[in-house]
Amino acid sequence: MLAGLATIGAAPAATMIEDAASACGGLAGPSDAGRIDSATLQAPSELAVSDRAPTPASRIVPANPAFCKVLGHIEPTDPKAPPIRFEVNLPVQWNGRSVQYGGGGFNGTLITGLGLPPAYPFDKPSPLARGFVTYGTDSGHESKPGEPPQLFALNDEAFENFAHRSYRKVRDAAAALMVRAYGKPPEKMYFMGSSEGGREALTMAQRYPDDFDGIFARVPVINWVGLQHAGTRSGLVTMGEGWIGPAQVKLVADAVRQACDKADGSDDRLVENPVACKATFKPAALRCDSSQSGDQCLTEAQIKAIDTLHAAYKFPFPLANGLDDYPGWGVSGEDTPASGPTGGWMAWWLGTAPPALPPTPNNGIAWVYGAGGIQYVFARDPKLDVRSYRPEQYKARLLEVSQLMDSTDPDLGRFRARGGKLIMLEHMADYAQSPYAGIRYFENVERRLGQAETAAFARLYTAPGVDHVGSGAPANVDMLSVLVDWVEKGEAPGDLEVVGQKVEAPAFAVLRALPLCRWPAWPHYKGGDAMSGSSFECAK
């Protein structure tokens, strides 16, 4: 038995109906769920670690067993819309389960299902190596170099596939392939997604509550319309004198730590309770006086920019599910180093140069995404000057997009009734999306269903100091095993533990551990080694 599989428990195992090569090759061709373009038996592969990648987890290419790699597509109804492309990985030795991987950003890249799922420990065997069928999709469009990532949104069918339809269609295609390959349907189906994939995860629970047994949504961009508008606003306020350079970002981060680091009882350069810290820290305390200038302090325009980032974005009318704002961002992790699409303010908000029109690769990702979203998704005018954009002029389109994209429906009663389990994880130093959007959603579920009923099937965890992709503080936890134990054994999770690991095979040494507390509790220092999780306890 593979290491790690025992922690999940045994499910009815299966092997491919015929010999693996014949069974795999026989899958190619037309099928009820779509066209199978190729099906190739892959030999087992070894673990590898790359020198560079956009995120820590994506540097790791996990070892995989022999499996059938299936590539296929689903044709659109509109001949001008792109197909939905997918990959399904069928292990020769199957444990009877499957995991669908979510996407990221505006998608447009085929999600292979061959890497590590969100938050996954670096040293654990991949889901495929543990016997799961894994699969993913490009969500119905392909991003091309030199083109805005939102270009596909000008086509209605492509945008609706991105919103929700593609994930359901690919789920059904994968289930059909499992029946063909193994002679039986999957016993349990799981969905794991982060960021845009986290939105997709919650979309499955809300729109298709009968399709998945367990769902993990990390840093989900659920209030999608609000995020695009708030990100654009945060860019506009830094266009001129409000832009903040790297040295001043460090100035702010140091001031946040000075104000809040010791509040939990430890001096560990980590703000364990960022909610309390947001109320404590005041950017105006760094205002320049007559004896200061440059990197020593902040100008009025820069203070206004930070206050804008921290404040809610208000719409002049309610969107889907009655929401009319987007929560402001929090504090801590402002100076998390930027490397690719990771890091704190410099990566997500500020970039290495003030916002430009059209956006450039030097700009913050929130500006690139938000300004492009305004042009291609809401106004549907690629030449629009976003500085002149007003939401009320496009009310009908905003409401339409919100109904498609905002995964904010708190009524999870049907998902709960059929036995589904949901785990959400918010990173509190996330500047790609506000963790307070997910926190508010979870609390709205509790208001709708009641706290006791919600606790029977859903959990929200918050990880202090962690940025959008898992950098800055301990962030790794095996949520797949947690979900399986809850779904299949009835073992409801309590407080967990996250670890920070060195991206260095084969040991992937643990550098630090912390409790992963159920909302609204935070880690509090008890004494001992501050790098050890046992030195902290979860306290409200």
Side-chain angles (χ1 to χ4, degrees):
M1 182 176 289
L2 288 168
L5 187 57
T7 64
I8 288 184
T15 56
M16 291 192 175
I17 296 173
E18 310 164 31
D19 70 276
S22 299
C24 180
L27 297 174
S31 74
D32 293 339
R35 175 81 187 186
I36 305 305
D37 301 313
S38 66
T40 310
L41 188 66
Q42 306 290 306
S45 60
E46 299 294 324
L47 170 73
V49 178
S50 62
D51 292 333
R52 297 182 63 85
T55 69
S58 62
R59 288 182 55 195
I60 298 162
V61 181
N64 281 317
F67 70 98
C68 178
K69 177 180 176 179
V70 178
L71 296 174
H73 71 275
I74 300 169
E75 292 289 349
T77 301
D78 177 2
K80 294 182 179 179
I84 300 168
R85 301 194 180 278
F86 59 85
E87 177 172 335
V88 181
N89 309 301
L90 303 159
V92 172
Q93 298 294 327
W94 186 39
N95 68 11
R97 308 176 178 97
S98 69
V99 178
Q100 182 167 351
Y101 285 47
F106 283 89
N107 287 344
T109 300
L110 179 62
I111 303 301
T112 67
L114 295 176
L116 302 181
Y120 207 71
F122 300 154
D123 57 334
K124 288 274 188 179
S126 71
L128 182 60
R130 292 162 80 165
F132 289 80
V133 167
T134 66
Y135 58 101
T137 176
D138 66 356
S139 83
H141 67 275
E142 180 182 1
S143 294
K144 297 179 181 178
E147 291 183 350
Q150 307 90 347
L151 182 63
F152 74 95
L154 297 176
N155 181 278
D156 287 339
E157 184 175 344
F159 190 70
E160 193 165 347
N161 283 334
F162 171 64
H164 65 92
R165 291 198 183 279
S166 64
Y167 320 110
R168 173 71 177 299
K169 290 180 178 180
V170 168
R171 179 260 185 205
D172 291 347
L177 280 167
M178 286 179 247
V179 172
R180 289 180 62 190
Y182 304 111
K184 55 184 281 187
E187 296 286 335
K188 299 294 180 183
M189 303 187 79
Y190 296 89
F191 193 109
M192 304 184 78
S194 182
S195 188
E196 158 57 25
R199 183 198 68 83
E200 295 160 16
L202 285 172
T203 295
M204 297 299 101
Q206 294 167 25
R207 287 186 182 268
Y208 307 111
D210 298 325
D211 284 2
F212 292 95
D213 302 284
I215 292 174
F216 174 45
R218 184 178 78 159
V219 296
V221 292
I222 54 175
N223 189 346
W224 194 88
V225 173
L227 174 60
Q228 307 312 317
H229 284 76
T232 303
R233 180 192 65 167
S234 296
L236 288 170
V237 79
T238 62
M239 263 194 160
E241 296 179 353
W243 192 75
I244 302 169
Q248 290 168 308
V249 171
K250 184 178 186 303
L251 176 76
V252 173
D254 285 342
V256 169
R257 285 187 285 265
Q258 179 67 29
C260 304
D261 179 12
K262 298 179 182 179
D264 69 295
S266 68
D267 184 4
D268 58 358
R269 293 183 59 80
L270 181 64
V271 176
E272 270 85 0
N273 186 345
V275 174
C277 187
K278 185 174 180 180
T280 301
F281 172 70
K282 304 299 179 186
L286 299 174
R287 180 183 287 109
C288 295
D289 61 29
S290 58
S291 65
Q292 296 174 307
S293 63
D295 296 339
Q296 300 174 319
C297 56
L298 299 176
T299 66
E300 289 293 343
Q302 292 169 328
I303 292 170
K304 177 184 177 182
I306 297 171
D307 287 340
T308 300
L309 180 76
H310 289 167
Y313 178 95
K314 188 77 172 179
F315 287 94
F317 48 84
L319 300 172
N321 301 302
L323 298 181
D324 65 357
D325 71 343
Y326 186 79
W329 276 262
V331 298
S332 79
E334 292 84 0
D335 61 346
T336 301
S339 174
T342 75
W345 279 4
M346 299 306 296
W348 295 104
W349 179 27
L350 299 167
T352 56
L357 285 172
T360 74
N362 293 325
N363 293 155
I365 299 170
W367 173 252
V368 175
Y369 281 2
I374 296 297
Q375 292 173 320
Y376 287 90
V377 177
F378 302 109
R380 286 187 152 179
D381 178 3
K383 296 182 180 179
L384 176 75
D385 186 335
V386 297
R387 292 170 294 189
S388 66
Y389 170 82
R390 300 293 181 269
E392 54 269 24
Q393 297 174 344
Y394 302 91
K395 180 178 179 179
R397 177 60 178 166
L398 263 68
L399 294 175
E400 180 184 20
V401 174
S402 185
Q403 289 293 337
L404 284 170
M405 289 294 299
D406 286 344
S407 300
T408 54
D409 182 358
D411 187 0
L412 296 178
R414 185 171 161 189
F415 180 72
R416 152 67 173 148
R418 54 92 59 195
K421 300 295 186 288
L422 169 68
I423 295 176
M424 294 176 59
L425 172 59
E426 288 290 356
H427 295 168
M428 298 308 295
D430 186 350
Y431 292 102
Q433 62 94 37
S434 172
Y436 294 98
I439 290 170
R440 177 171 67 181
Y441 174 74
F442 187 83
E443 291 180 338
N444 285 343
V445 174
E446 290 183 318
R447 291 187 188 98
R448 180 64 180 258
L449 301 180
Q451 287 190 340
E453 182 71 6
T454 301
F457 79 98
R459 293 284 185 273
L460 168 62
Y461 295 94
T462 50
V466 185
D467 82 336
H468 191 62
V469 299
S471 299
N476 292 351
V477 56
D478 182 4
M479 285 299 191
L480 181 56
S481 290
V482 173
L483 266 179
V484 169
D485 286 344
W486 198 4
V487 168
E488 301 180 23
K489 301 178 184 177
E491 297 177 0
D495 297 324
L496 303 172
E497 183 179 76
V498 282
V499 298
Q501 294 175 279
K502 191 172 184 179
V503 187
E504 186 176 280
F508 299 108
V510 173
L511 302 175
R512 182 175 185 183
L514 272 176
L516 183 63
C517 303
R518 290 177 58 183
W519 173 260
W522 303 103
H524 190 82
Y525 183 62
K526 298 186 299 182
D529 180 5
M531 297 295 105
S532 172
S534 62
S535 298
F536 293 80
E537 62 183 353
C538 292
K540 294 184 180 179

